[in-house]
Amino acid sequence: MRRQSFLPTLNEHEYLLLPESVGWYKDPEHEVLRKAGALNNFSIHLIVDGKGYLETDGQQHTLHRGDAFLYFPLQSQRYCSSKDDPWEVRWVHFYGKTLKEFLLERGIGPKPLWKIPQWKPLEQALADLLEELEQNGFWQLTRVSTLTYAILAEFVTQAVPWSEARSPEADNRISELLPEMQRDACLPFDLQHWADRAGVSSYYFCRLFKKATHLTPMTFITLCRLQNSKQWLLEQPQLTVKEIAERAGYPSVSYYNKRFLEQEGMTPTEYRQLYLRR
């Protein structure tokens, strides 16, 4: 069982990245062995069902649903499906002139093994690209590049090295709390309250939260407060900046102004004046 689509490699282009191929397969005979230097593309593979094996540094690792592997160009590659429980894999090969620097700056190095705690969005992004290429080919390059970037963005924001991977249960505890934390963001923030809700210490809660969202809990709360306040600045012009600051959870209007300026590059008053003119 296999679906795949291939594109010509464009040596000259103006996009951050483009795909060379994308596909899906479930095949007990699937096995890949590429020597170093054989393939000059990046590749992402996501396991969505079954299991398989990947060998790196002389060790074989068993991969299951939610595991992924990323290869940098010219790396040696060795992986295969389990014959008794064949893996179902979505994959993409892609390239771009500045991708190596882009990934390294975000902590994504050439170690191939990763965990994807919330893997469904990545699966969907891979499916969207495959469907686009099957229906329209490569002539809409802007859309093709955008869909490929969506895959990369999902991977970068979700991927956790195996050495730092945590249990799905811990991931779920944080994910389940996020909507409620967003809803209550303008109330006084009590870290211990949320740690108790997750059933962990405040220290471990901060670690889990950072790995799940790439933000500290307080940064998340601040962004939620600023999001709300921007809405109120434009939709409720009868409110003063001081009233909005208090509603957003900042009794001190000067501190609210400071945080808003740090994040948005302008004061709340300047933001209101700028966007109310539209």
Side-chain angles (χ1 to χ4, degrees):
M1 299 172 62
R2 183 181 296 251
R3 287 171 59 193
Q4 53 193 358
S5 185
F6 297 87
L7 291 83
T9 298
L10 303 181
N11 293 321
E12 298 295 331
H13 63 85
E14 56 189 14
Y15 300 96
L16 172 66
L17 76 172
L18 286 171
E20 183 275 332
S21 55
V22 61
W24 164 92
Y25 48 64
K26 184 173 184 178
D27 181 358
E29 303 302 322
H30 176 236
E31 183 173 3
V32 169
L33 173 58
R34 296 188 179 104
K35 294 183 179 180
L39 187 64
N40 193 25
N41 287 325
F42 293 84
S43 66
I44 290 172
H45 292 67
L46 172 68
I47 292 82
V48 299
D49 201 8
K51 69 178 180 181
Y53 310 97
L54 182 145
E55 185 176 309
T56 180
D57 298 328
Q59 292 185 309
Q60 186 180 79
H61 303 274
T62 303
L63 280 65
H64 300 90
R65 177 185 297 168
D67 292 332
F69 50 100
L70 164 69
Y71 282 116
F72 276 53
L74 309 180
Q75 279 190 286
S76 61
Q77 303 180 13
R78 185 162 195 166
Y79 52 91
C80 64
S81 174
S82 163
K83 295 187 183 300
D84 60 334
D85 185 14
W87 61 10
E88 183 178 338
V89 177
R90 288 195 177 272
W91 54 270
V92 62
H93 288 208
F94 57 100
Y95 58 96
K97 292 181 180 178
T98 61
L99 282 180
K100 181 177 180 180
E101 292 77 10
F102 176 87
L103 289 167
L104 292 176
E105 286 176 359
R106 287 154 181 80
I108 307 294
K111 293 290 186 181
L113 289 168
W114 302 85
K115 297 274 188 183
I116 311 295
Q118 306 295 328
W119 54 271
K120 279 291 186 180
L122 177 56
E123 179 190 21
Q124 186 61 55
L126 287 157
D128 290 344
L129 177 60
L130 178 58
E131 183 176 351
E132 170 67 21
L133 296 180
E134 288 177 337
Q135 292 183 359
N136 300 312
F138 69 93
W139 65 275
Q140 295 183 354
L141 280 181
T142 299
R143 176 162 174 76
V144 168
S145 181
T146 299
L147 290 171
T148 311
Y149 179 76
I151 294 169
L152 186 62
E154 288 291 350
F155 183 89
V156 167
T157 56
Q158 286 281 348
V160 179
W162 268 36
S163 60
E164 300 177 17
R166 65 276 188 201
S167 69
E169 180 184 354
D171 293 319
N172 291 338
R173 278 181 285 180
I174 299 300
S175 299
E176 290 169 359
L177 286 175
L178 290 177
E180 190 174 347
M181 291 180 69
Q182 184 175 24
R183 188 193 68 205
D184 294 345
C186 296
L187 300 176
F189 178 65
D190 183 349
L191 175 61
Q192 189 60 54
H193 166 77
W194 295 108
D196 291 343
R197 289 286 307 279
V200 296
S201 69
S202 58
Y203 172 78
Y204 192 52
F205 178 81
C206 290
R207 288 190 59 188
L208 290 176
F209 197 94
K210 184 69 178 288
K211 289 185 180 296
T213 66
H214 298 270
L215 301 168
T216 67
M218 195 63 239
T219 299
F220 176 79
I221 293 298
T222 297
L223 293 176
C224 291
R225 288 175 173 178
L226 293 179
Q227 179 185 21
N228 287 332
S229 74
K230 289 171 72 175
Q231 199 89 11
W232 297 330
L233 283 165
L234 300 186
E235 294 183 356
Q236 301 190 41
Q238 75 280 7
L239 295 177
T240 67
V241 171
K242 183 176 186 298
E243 289 171 331
I244 289 175
E246 292 174 348
R247 180 180 288 193
Y250 295 105
S252 167
V253 68
S254 62
Y255 184 69
Y256 167 65
N257 284 338
K258 177 182 177 182
R259 297 313 305 266
F260 197 100
L261 178 63
E262 289 174 347
Q263 193 66 36
E264 302 296 332
M266 64 184 79
T267 66
T269 299
E270 291 169 338
Y271 179 84
R272 171 177 267 175
Q273 291 172 344
L274 179 64
Y275 287 99
L276 278 178
R277 297 192 190 120
R278 293 188 301 181

